[in-house]
Amino acid sequence: MWYLFVGLCVLGFFAMIAGFVRNRRLQKKIEKGELTELPSIQQVNDMECCGQHETCEKESLLAAVSREIEYYNDEELDRFRGHLPEEYTDEEVEEFRDILYTMKNTEVAGWVRSLQLRSVELPDELKDEVFMIVAERRSDGHKRGE
């Protein structure tokens, strides 16, 4: 236990020194005219993944990731609450498909999460298409380094 306490104190001391050195370097750059002011904290764009999670919440299909229900101009789909995925008619599947293909690829995972939170099952006929869109979005994001 004593080693843990000493280790944390040493780690805190090194962190304090590193912060002090960083601030002095930044202050010198300001004095030389290389910087006009100290760098500020930047907010993460809401459309980008923050990078702090193994799986980006924006790309996750799991309803457990977020409990907030967001509608995608699809309130009419709430009438399918409790409907089994294999019981949709062709017309009902087309209604889901129309909504799916009118949204941005970046919104598809959120839409599926929203449906899950609203207890609306996705028709079986659309599941492969949704997974392909989300997988394509993920691979594009990884190629760009998101």
Side-chain angles (χ1 to χ4, degrees), residues 26-55:
L26 288 173
Q27 197 63 38
K28 285 182 181 181
K29 287 184 177 187
I30 290 173
E31 290 170 4
K32 290 179 183 178
E34 294 176 26
L35 292 175
T36 57
E37 61 184 29
L38 289 174
S40 62
I41 297 173
Q42 297 179 355
Q43 295 292 326
V44 175
N45 185 346
D46 195 31
M47 292 304 293
E48 296 176 4
C49 190
C50 64
Q52 294 182 359
H53 305 94
E54 187 172 330
T55 302

Side-chain angles (χ1 to χ4, degrees), residues 25-89:
R25 285 185 181 165
L26 288 173
Q27 197 63 38
K28 285 182 181 181
K29 287 184 177 187
I30 290 173
E31 290 170 4
K32 290 179 183 178
E34 294 176 26
L35 292 175
T36 57
E37 61 184 29
L38 289 174
S40 62
I41 297 173
Q42 297 179 355
Q43 295 292 326
V44 175
N45 185 346
D46 195 31
M47 292 304 293
E48 296 176 4
C49 190
C50 64
Q52 294 182 359
H53 305 94
E54 187 172 330
T55 302
C56 183
E57 292 179 6
K58 302 241 182 267
E59 296 177 355
S60 178
L61 296 174
L62 301 175
V65 170
S66 171
R67 286 285 174 210
E68 185 178 330
I69 295 176
E70 184 176 344
Y71 283 90
Y72 294 82
N73 293 326
D74 65 343
E75 294 82 2
E76 67 275 7
L77 296 181
D78 284 347
R79 73 180 190 275
F80 296 118
R81 187 174 284 132
H83 211 82
L84 294 175
E86 64 273 0
E87 293 179 348
Y88 288 103
T89 66

Side-chain angles (χ1 to χ4, degrees), residues 11 13 19 30 37 39 62 72 81-82 102 105 111 114 119 132 141:
L11 184 63
F13 180 73
I30 290 173
E37 61 184 29
L62 301 175
Y72 294 82
R81 187 174 284 132
T102 57
N105 286 351
W111 178 61
S114 173
S119 300
M132 281 182 16

